Amino acid sequence: MHQPINELHRFHFHPDVSGFDPDLMYVECKHCGRPVLWNKGRTSEILEGVDIVRAELDSSCMILTHGCPRCTPGVTKFRLQVIRADDVYAEEQQMQLIAHA
C-alpha cells in the first residue's frame, strides 16, 4: 500500500554540531602562499599534540606552514602555526601579493 508523502514517518538526522571540525581548516604555506593538502585526519592528529583548545577553533582559523614540499623540496617537517585569519591578515596578504607582482 502506498501512503501519501505527508503521512510518511520521517527520521530526522541531527549531526553533532557542538564544535568546529578542525579537519576543515585551510592550510597554506607561509613562504610561497600555496595551499597545502595532506591526508584526511592529519589536522586533528597534529592538534592533539599541542595546547590548542579545540572549542576555540572556528571557520576563521587556518594553519600556516613555514615551508612546503613545493618551495623547499627534500624537507619533510615544517613548523606550523594556527592563526585566526581576520581583516588584518587579509590586508597583509594583499600587500604581499602587490609587492611580489
Side-chain angles (χ1 to χ4, degrees), residues 53 55-63 81-90:
V53 179
E56 293 180 4
L57 297 175
D58 61 28
S59 61
S60 69
C61 295
M62 65 183 282
I63 296 176
Q81 182 179 7
V82 177
I83 67 163
R84 190 170 305 277
D86 55 8
D87 292 335
V88 174
Y89 176 76

Side-chain angles (χ1 to χ4, degrees), residues 6-84:
N6 60 351
E7 293 179 10
L8 292 175
H9 179 68
R10 294 189 180 127
F11 293 96
H12 295 284
F13 176 70
H14 298 284
D16 178 19
V17 291
S18 59
F20 176 73
D21 181 359
D23 287 315
L24 298 175
M25 286 177 35
Y26 178 72
V27 183
E28 181 180 285
C29 177
K30 185 174 181 175
H31 295 259
C32 68
R34 291 186 177 101
V36 176
L37 303 176
W38 52 43
N39 294 333
K40 182 179 178 180
R42 182 71 175 131
T43 302
S44 292
E45 185 180 295
I46 290 168
L47 293 177
E48 286 177 8
V50 296
D51 294 329
I52 293 179
V53 179
R54 288 176 73 146
E56 293 180 4
L57 297 175
D58 61 28
S59 61
S60 69
C61 295
M62 65 183 282
I63 296 176
L64 292 177
T65 66
H66 292 259
C68 71
R70 192 110 186 244
C71 69
T72 50
V75 179
T76 57
K77 294 185 179 183
F78 303 97
R79 190 168 70 94
L80 303 175
Q81 182 179 7
V82 177
I83 67 163
R84 190 170 305 277

